[in-house]
Amino acid sequence: MAVYGGIQAHELERWLNALTNAAYDRRCPLAKVHGGNARARTARQNLLLLAHDYRSGQRTREESAFILGRWCETYLSEAEWYVLVGIRQAPSQPQNEEERSLTVLKQHRVG
């Protein structure tokens, strides 16, 4: 079972792809990142810089996984984390805005 914010080094590439896709999906809570447009831009920029540093060899896989775990703790709610990991299922019939957002986020699931 994944620990909130903990990303294994061997899963790094899947996480980077899933989070980047989710961060740009306007239907998804990551597009808002709990604080408005400025925070969402900062979150996306930090995510893209992390991916660049890892893919260009400036950071090791382990360092990048640790930093990405911290990014998740900073920008994701615990519910969003567990939806991405695939541990907790989103409701089948969304009732409110948060549940609808989690349903969309489920499409970007890593686990």
Side-chain angles (χ1 to χ4, degrees):
M1 182 157 139
V3 177
Y4 176 47
I7 295 176
Q8 304 259 337
H10 68 275
E11 299 175 328
L12 180 63
E13 195 66 42
R14 289 188 313 177
W15 273 98
L16 286 173
N17 291 336
L19 287 170
T20 301
N21 290 337
Y24 285 96
D25 187 339
R26 295 210 180 274
R27 303 168 299 156
C28 189
L30 296 185
K32 299 176 188 76
V33 193
H34 317 292
N37 290 333
R39 185 174 165 115
R41 281 191 303 274
T42 300
R44 285 191 295 264
Q45 181 180 16
N46 289 347
L47 184 62
L48 292 175
L49 286 172
L50 171 64
H52 175 267
D53 288 350
Y54 165 67
R55 291 177 179 144
S56 67
Q58 295 177 21
R59 293 195 189 276
T60 66
R61 181 182 299 262
E62 290 76 19
E63 288 174 324
S64 298
F66 178 78
I67 294 168
L68 187 59
R70 293 288 181 230
W71 184 94
C72 290
E73 289 175 348
T74 301
Y75 293 110
L76 299 179
S77 70
E78 192 168 353
E80 291 165 350
W81 165 265
Y82 285 115
V83 167
L84 281 169
V85 172
I87 294 174
R88 193 181 299 164
Q89 296 291 324
S92 58
Q93 292 295 325
Q95 301 292 323
N96 61 34
E97 183 63 33
E98 180 181 347
E99 290 172 347
R100 280 192 292 273
S101 294
L102 291 175
T103 300
V104 170
L105 184 59
K106 186 178 174 186
Q107 297 169 3
H108 300 287
R109 194 171 70 197
V110 175

